[in-house]
Amino acid sequence: MSGILGKAFSVIAVFAVTWGSVIFYWRNSGTVPTGMEMLAYLGLLPVGLSSAGFMLRNAGRSMLDKAVDAADAPAAADAPAGATVTAATATPHPSSVAVLATDMRLGVDMDADALLAAVGALPRPGLDGRFHDRDGLPLLMCAAPDLDDTRVLKAQMGAFDTRAAERRAMALLEPVADSLLAQALLALPELEVAEERVVAGLRRRDEQVVESVLAIELLVPVDWSVSVRGFCAEWLQGRAEASGLDARRFTVDIGIAADAGEVWSRVQRIADAVGQGTPQWYLLLSCSSAIDPGVVAAWLEENRILHRQNKEGMIPGEGAAGVLFATPSLAAAETPRLWRPQRIDLAPQAVAAERRRQSEALGRALLTGLAVPPEQVQMVLHDADQRSELAVDASAAATAVNPDLDIGRQALALPVCAGELGPVLPLALMTLAHAHAVAAQSAALILGVSAPSQRVAALVDFPSSHDPSADSLSPA
């Protein structure tokens, strides 16, 4: 609307100036114009001037657009062939969030510290007699032993039924959620006690205005029913209040994630929001389980599971994990921080060598943008499983970042011992990175190499050792 008014004002201004000038000239010179002269000077002349002005303005804009495109062309040409930087990675400067606490429960019965200690000889999933392939042979599984899968969800919840995958995942989530909710309670500042005062002989209570400063989000697989997700929201709300959190100070949301890539996108958005203090604290949880007859049957039908005739398949796993983020200014200097994860999208036709080169370049670019010395990275955590091609990609990316790394002792492939974790995988990797940063006082690099069309790199370290505020991050 403002554009139309502007054009109308321009036309009116041209007519007013033209008419005023012509009439002033005629009066001073004593000229008596004819009808054709009046038409030409008072009609055609202002119309022509207006048209010429619009043509010159459009031509100027076209030339300016071409100049901008020409300036942007060299930057686009510098990007690697077959790769594009996602819109979410286009930040002018790197940002970080404090990682106050982490926790996880996986099918492999080991916590983060135990897994890091066993990095050179990780346990492997075993054969599970409850599940068989088409030839009747048992399948490899990574299932939590002696798990009471009815602790949170029952098989029948009155108005709806549940699946084994949902029950097992929620049973694994319960201790993780309780632990991190207790940490959130400790992190949040205490509320001032409302005081009672006597005003005009009447006793009144000054109620304090309480702001919502903590966001709690649970990510579950996309195949969970709406009824189960609704129960999860009520259950999580109740657990938070039971932990001592004031209901006015937090919100609860249940999201869905199809794979680890969607979780990394969510972590990017959380890093942007929490880094700016809106909200100031964020508890991100996730749980998933593939230890379910229906899930195993579907994977067999789709030829996704590892068995005798499919050596490139996946091993079903299960787990729950969570990370408590906070605005950096609210955390102590010795608190580990997660630098905003960086992602690149690969072209569908990219060959293995190109994907490997992109993995190497992304890790190096992340450290360069953050001004982190390569020797500061003393642990690499990645999502490569038992497939040899992924293991080679992860190893190449790790050595490209720090050539002095001992891949046998300083690189941990979580799916090799924990199986397929779905949306839990990124949070479990961050839990391991946080545990390493606290124990070793050094940086841990997280690499995502398993997705065929995406590569991910993230870093957990202590930012007090360097100041990247003056560096621009450009992973491509």
Side-chain angles (χ1 to χ4, degrees), residues 236-248:
L236 197 52
Q237 179 81 25
R239 303 300 290 193
E241 294 180 9
S243 70
L245 289 169
D246 191 316
R248 298 171 295 175

Side-chain angles (χ1 to χ4, degrees), residues 15-54:
F15 269 84
V17 171
T18 305
W19 285 11
S21 301
V22 172
I23 293 172
F24 178 78
Y25 170 75
W26 284 341
R27 293 188 64 179
N28 288 339
S29 63
T31 303
V32 178
T34 65
M36 291 299 296
E37 288 176 336
M38 293 179 66
L39 175 63
Y41 286 105
L42 301 181
L44 299 180
L45 180 60
V47 171
L49 291 175
S50 298
S51 301
F54 286 124

Side-chain angles (χ1 to χ4, degrees), residues 439-469:
Q441 298 290 301
S442 62
L445 179 67
I446 301 173
L447 296 173
V449 299
S450 63
S453 60
Q454 180 180 267
R455 292 295 179 264
V456 178
L459 187 76
V460 175
D461 77 336
F462 295 92
S464 57
S465 61
H466 62 282
D467 181 16
S469 59

